[in-house]
Structure formats: C-alpha cells, structure tokens
Amino acid sequence: MGVAVFFRAGLDGDELVLDGPEGRHAAVVRRIGPGERMRLTDGRGDWAEGPVVAASKAGVTVAVDERGSTPAYDPRVVVVQAVPKGERAELAVEMLTEVGVDVIVPWNAERSQFRANPERVEKMLAKWRAWAFEASKQSRRTWFAEVAPLATTADVAKLLGAAALPVVLHEEATVPLASLTTPPAGDIVLVIGPEGGIAPAELDAFATTPIRLGDTVLRTSTAGVAAAAALLAPSRWR
C-alpha cells in the first residue's frame, strides 16, 4: 500500500498534529500508528510527509522529513455534469475525481429533473463536495477536485465560450472525440448531459459543434469519466 493522504490546512513546522475529524479518522478508523508514514496536503498543491510519532483517539502527530509542492495542471479539465438522480451522482463525482478532473460543475439541465430551491441546492453541493474531498484523498491527489456552484445553461455557455477546448458530448454528433487535439494550456470544458439528453435549446445556447464519444451510449454518470480519461491520455496518463 502507498502512503495514506490526509487533509491539513496548514503545513508549517517540523511536527504536525492532525486532529479533528481527519485526525480521528486516521487514528481510529484507519488505525494508523507510530512508525507508519503519512502525507498531509492542503489540497492546493503543497504537501508534507513523515512518520507518525504519536497517536491517540484524538489524532496523530507526524514528524515531517519530506515536503514539496506540486504545480497545478495545465490545461485544466472542467467537467460540467448534468445533475444525475440518486446514487449515480455520487458515482459520477467519485470517478471524475479519481480520473483527475480539476473542476466539477453541477448543471441543472432542462432534463435533469432537479428542483433547484435554495435548501436542496445547498444540500446537493455539500454532498458533492464531501464526495470529491474523500475521493481526492483516496486517489492520493495533492490538488483536490473542486466542486463549483450549481450552474445554469447560461453559465455553461459562458464556460464554453472561454474554453481553450469546448467539448459538448451528444449521441447524434458526427465529429469523434478521438479527432480532437488537446490544447497546451487553458481550460478543457467537457459538458455531460442528463439521462434524457441535452435539449435542442441548450445545444443552440452552447454554440459549439457537438462531439461524439463512440458507438455506444454511456450513462451520464460514466460518460464524463470515459471522455476525460481519453482527453487526459496524451498528458497526465503517460
């Protein structure tokens, strides 16, 4: 097994105490004890690593003997994910995080069947951010995946307009994903529609040529991870 990764906001000092929910999870749930190595990260590129020198039910203390900083990826991969129903939302967020997506933008598409009132939106975002947080640690990321606020179709159109590479997946498109060239910098914005598909008015609003993923039609919870992996293959998956 590799070194376990946990979140800590501050990383200054030769000995770092990890307490609170993260520390209790490390000591009680993961049962990490003295002598085992841990990596702490602020989720924004910086990390510190070393052996555990003390552990209790309250948390652990790490003696830092190695530290570093990982630069942010460029180009970034931004996935606009139409809000799925039920457990498919969790599956989508976890897999997008694991595959290396930088930003996940939940989108209230016309066919998402998501009733966006303030309370529901707040709960939904809290869940998505918790899933991305845990998946970022599990996949040992130094830069944690970000979950943006709930987007409207107009918001998505703006993201596509500013993208270095706009990609709107649609089953009736003729341009294949494999024909695209990954830009050297900027944002790759990848739009994944809901189970019912992207509505014609939404396609018009996006004002970009739709892209075909392949011969098969994937569920909304898996299409994003397949497309993101294909686009990341020339750079991060070498």
Side-chain angles (χ1 to χ4, degrees):
M1 293 180 62
V3 177
V5 173
F6 289 85
F7 172 80
R8 193 179 192 277
L11 299 175
D12 294 333
D14 295 331
E15 287 195 349
L16 299 175
V17 176
L18 184 67
D19 52 15
E22 284 286 277
R24 288 191 293 274
H25 183 76
V28 178
V29 179
R30 296 289 298 273
R31 298 184 179 181
I32 296 175
E36 296 183 72
R37 291 186 69 83
M38 284 179 54
R39 173 170 290 196
L40 306 177
T41 177
D42 62 1
R44 308 310 297 163
D46 291 334
W47 56 271
E49 185 177 311
V52 172
V53 294
S56 69
K57 291 183 179 180
V60 298
T61 301
V62 177
V64 177
D65 61 15
E66 189 176 355
R67 62 175 68 245
S69 183
T70 303
Y73 284 110
D74 196 17
R76 294 195 314 168
V77 177
V78 179
V79 172
V80 177
Q81 173 67 61
V83 179
K85 294 177 65 177
E87 63 184 15
R88 292 198 171 273
E90 182 175 3
L91 179 64
V93 172
E94 286 181 345
M95 290 198 304
L96 290 172
T97 300
E98 290 171 10
V99 83
V101 168
D102 300 288
V103 183
I104 303 169
V105 182
W107 169 38
N108 191 19
E110 182 179 319
R111 298 170 179 168
S112 286
Q113 300 179 1
F114 177 72
R115 297 179 181 178
N117 61 60
E119 183 178 356
R120 285 175 61 87
V121 170
E122 184 179 354
K123 288 182 178 179
M124 184 270 290
L125 289 175
K127 288 181 179 179
W128 283 42
R129 286 167 179 158
W131 295 332
F133 179 80
E134 292 301 328
S136 293
K137 293 190 298 177
Q138 186 276 329
S139 53
R140 301 174 194 159
R141 292 179 57 154
T142 306
W143 282 88
F144 284 9
E146 174 189 344
V147 175
L150 182 68
T152 63
T153 296
D155 295 330
V156 176
K158 290 180 182 178
L159 287 173
L160 289 167
L165 177 62
V167 181
V168 178
L169 295 185
H170 195 273
E171 62 186 58
E172 297 178 3
T174 57
V175 178
L177 184 72
S179 69
L180 303 181
T181 300
T182 304
D187 283 353
I188 300 170
V189 177
L190 175 61
V191 177
I192 309 301
E195 293 292 344
I198 299 175
E202 292 168 334
L203 282 176
D204 290 342
F206 294 158
T208 188
T209 301
I211 302 299
R212 179 169 166 266
L213 183 56
D215 292 334
T216 58
V217 177
L218 302 184
R219 302 293 296 264
T220 185
S221 54
T222 52
V225 70
L231 291 169
L232 287 169
S235 56
R236 303 190 207 177
W237 282 44
R238 290 179 294 182

